Amino acid sequence: DLLRVGVIGQEVETVIPEAVQIQNRREFEDFRVVSYDTIYSTLVNAVKELSSQNKALVERVNALEAK
């Protein structure tokens, strides 16, 4: 059996709307299709930003502890 992992289009749409397209299919109305490429680039940028913020906070804590 093949394990499949994915995301829920409606949930992604609230955070990264440009990563979701709405399609109408025979069996589903307003079917959400997720562009994983858009999600990946957004997540990479978020990790970079969080890493930068974390570094600044660590430096601040170290400076405060040195007092």
Side-chain angles (χ1 to χ4, degrees), residues 49-65:
E49 183 178 330
L50 289 172
S51 179
S52 175
Q53 290 175 3
N54 187 57
K55 181 180 177 184
L57 289 172
V58 167
E59 289 172 359
R60 185 174 174 194
V61 167
N62 290 338
L64 289 169
E65 288 178 343

Side-chain angles (χ1 to χ4, degrees), residues 1-29:
D1 290 323
L2 179 64
L3 176 64
R4 295 181 184 250
V5 178
V7 295
I8 298 172
Q10 288 85 346
E11 291 178 0
V12 172
E13 189 174 30
T14 63
V15 182
I16 314 170
E18 62 272 15
V20 178
Q21 294 180 345
I22 299 173
Q23 296 180 355
N24 289 316
R25 297 189 177 183
R26 247 187 276 164
E27 57 275 0
F28 301 105
E29 277 188 37

Side-chain angles (χ1 to χ4, degrees), residues 16 36-50:
I16 314 170
Y36 285 92
D37 290 341
T38 304
I39 291 175
Y40 296 146
S41 61
T42 302
L43 291 176
V44 167
N45 289 330
V47 168
K48 287 179 185 178
E49 183 178 330
L50 289 172

